[in-house]
Amino acid sequence: MLVAGVDSSTQSTKVLLCQSDDGTIVGQASAPHPDGTECDPELWWDALVKAGAGLLDRADAIGVAAQQHGMVVIDETGQVIRPALLWNDVRSAPQARELIAELGGPRQWAQQTGSVPTASFTVTKLRWLAEHEPAAAARTAQVLLPHDWLTWRLAGRLAEPATDRGDASGTGYFSPAAGRWLPELAQAALGRPVGLPRLAAPAEVVASTADGAALSAGTGDNMGAALGLGLDPGEVVVSIGTSGTAYAVADRAAADETGAVAGFADATGHFLPLVATINASRVLTVTARMLGTDVQGLDQLALAAPAGARGLTLLPYLDGERSPNRPDAHGVLRGLTSSNTTPENLARAAVEAVLCSLADAIDNLADCGITARRVILIGGAARSPAVRAIAPAIFGVPVTVPEPAEYVALGAARQAAWAASGAAGPPSWPPAGTSAEYTAEPVPLVRERYAALRDATVGWGG
């Protein structure tokens, strides 16, 4: 039996066709998405049709994992009302502050939803819609997440839209601990009742395609990656892609009232406490462009500079930041002298900045009782020799880099195989290739300088 896994990310759609018994990949393809912080969902569908050509029609079951938080609003006829607002759109930052204040403060939000909402969360986007596009808000009959909408489209829009507890936990109107929607929070945000997709069980078949393929519940991209990696409880993953994340599978729900850790659910019935940053691999590509090189050239430059970049420290909040919650922040470069302003030092400072930001995220998980003894490093930037070499020195623990693979799509395929089998748990697929291990002596001075700059710039922005 063959199963397909779909990863509909911010940047592209990727499709893997796998054998259901062991996860062997027998076909794969991808198609790009437009850049930006909002997107017409039909463009995701077009990319899925293109990437899935010759693959989806061979699958006996299909699972979809997609970027979290995106707000897809549809009317009573099922038509999309406006382009989806994505996770990286921070225009709803004022609405996040309003909602936190209106509905009991950070502690109340953390206890109810597992998270304190930032501008990334769907609930804040609903309030933005109500305040800035009231006509669109008035037409809104149902709000879906990107993976919900794509699964519904694969079912020919014939089945009731469904979601899973993992992706639902990123909306701001779901309780991971209780496993249920909190429709009163969605209503408070939008100003009127709004329909929500049906909550499906982790291994449920929610619909089928016109070709008869079973459709699993799907999930969010981070939950998909955790399933694709086959994480055991307590293992800490750092992913460096368009966004940066640090997360671990846990047996109990998190409720961090500081707002640093999002208390998500995972795709298997467990939990996935997670810290997300907006600025990750793009910091590296922007720095490379500024230096007139590419990411491979940036690697070479960064590795040619000493640890600490001779005093240069970059705060990488180029597009605002989610962790810490600074939607109006900008990047800051500190410590410039006539002797250290070299391409090598700036490249090194950029790599160290991204890793220091994610080291803060690992510390946030530790505050919730999850201590990293090693870090599993994935994402596009995990292919970078500079990132691999410098990461253990910044994180202070050994770093394991698995074989590069499309782990989100692999997790979606594994969920599809689980749903199709009717088994009690997901199939045991062997790791995708071999892993590389990296160690280095910690360099605490780099993190100390970074922390000093981070703390000194609180309140900067605009």
Side-chain angles (χ1 to χ4, degrees), residues 37 105 159 181 216 234 265 312 319 351 369 388 462:
T37 62
W181 288 120
S216 64
L312 273 188
D319 297 313
V351 174
R388 293 182 178 204

Side-chain angles (χ1 to χ4, degrees), residues 37-441:
T37 62
E38 62 175 50
C39 185
D40 181 350
E42 288 293 338
L43 298 177
W44 301 332
W45 177 252
D46 292 344
L48 177 55
V49 170
K50 182 177 181 181
L55 298 175
L56 296 182
D57 59 358
R58 296 165 57 193
D60 298 288
I62 301 169
V64 178
Q67 55 184 306
Q68 287 187 254
H69 306 303
M71 181 190 73
V72 182
V73 287
I74 60 176
D75 64 17
E76 291 183 351
T77 69
Q79 295 301 307
V80 173
I81 295 169
R82 71 166 328 278
L85 292 182
L86 308 185
W87 62 272
N88 57 350
D89 191 302
V90 296
R91 73 183 75 179
S92 60
Q95 288 72 33
R97 291 190 287 268
E98 291 172 10
L99 286 166
I100 292 169
E102 287 175 17
L103 302 176
R107 184 176 184 181
Q108 182 72 12
W109 277 94
Q111 289 177 344
Q112 283 194 274
T113 72
S115 305
V116 180
T118 66
S120 294
F121 280 67
T122 324
V123 70
T124 71
K125 302 178 192 302
L126 287 176
R127 173 59 65 86
W128 182 93
L129 188 71
E131 293 182 355
H132 291 269
E133 297 180 3
R139 287 181 57 201
T140 298
Q142 194 166 27
V143 57
L144 306 178
L145 296 163
H147 108 257
D148 310 341
W149 187 83
L150 286 166
T151 303
W152 184 55
R153 283 298 307 269
L154 284 168
R157 309 190 219 209
L158 299 176
E160 178 185 2
T163 194
D164 87 309
R165 58 193 290 279
D167 214 3
S169 64
T171 60
Y173 40 86
F174 175 82
S175 169
R180 64 179 182 87
W181 288 120
L182 301 171
E184 66 276 13
L185 295 183
Q187 179 175 340
L190 191 62
R192 55 188 293 271
V194 63
L196 303 173
R198 181 178 66 83
L199 280 170
E204 184 178 337
V205 174
V206 299
S208 60
T209 67
D211 294 328
L215 292 169
S216 64
T219 195
D221 53 1
N222 292 300
M223 298 79 193
L227 191 56
L229 284 162
L231 287 189
D232 292 323
E235 291 188 303
V236 174
V237 173
V238 168
S239 175
I240 312 179
T242 308
S243 64
T245 53
Y247 56 84
V249 173
D251 291 323
R252 60 186 179 89
D256 177 21
E257 63 186 70
T258 72
V261 178
F264 294 151
D266 81 341
T268 68
H270 292 89
F271 300 93
L272 196 76
L274 179 146
V275 183
T277 67
I278 287 177
N279 299 278
S281 62
R282 186 168 294 181
V283 175
L284 306 181
T285 57
V286 167
T287 304
R289 185 180 67 212
M290 186 167 63
L291 293 174
T293 187
D294 55 17
V295 290
Q296 290 76 26
L298 187 82
D299 280 331
Q300 294 173 8
L301 291 169
L303 290 171
R310 299 198 183 280
L312 273 188
T313 303
L314 174 67
L315 191 69
Y317 304 162
L318 306 188
D319 297 313
E321 187 47 77
R322 168 175 168 171
S323 301
N325 186 24
R326 299 190 194 174
D328 300 320
H330 302 301
V332 179
L333 186 61
R334 185 185 211 178
L336 287 163
T337 70
S338 60
S339 61
N340 70 6
T341 49
T342 67
E344 291 82 1
N345 287 329
L346 183 54
R348 179 85 183 203
V351 174
E352 290 179 343
V354 171
L355 292 171
C356 282
S357 175
L358 289 164
D360 284 351
I362 295 170
D363 289 348
N364 295 145
L365 291 177
D367 292 339
C368 290
I370 299 169
T371 302
R373 293 178 176 82
R374 67 165 180 145
V375 166
I376 301 170
L377 186 64
I378 64 170
R383 295 179 171 91
S384 158
V387 168
R388 293 182 178 204
I390 298 169
I394 302 299
F395 296 161
V397 295
V399 170
T400 298
V401 183
E403 189 80 17
E406 301 295 349
Y407 287 104
V408 176
L410 198 63
R414 191 174 177 218
Q415 185 197 62
W418 183 16
S421 72
S428 297
W429 288 358
T434 58
S435 299
E437 306 290 332
Y438 295 84
T439 59
E441 195 67 29

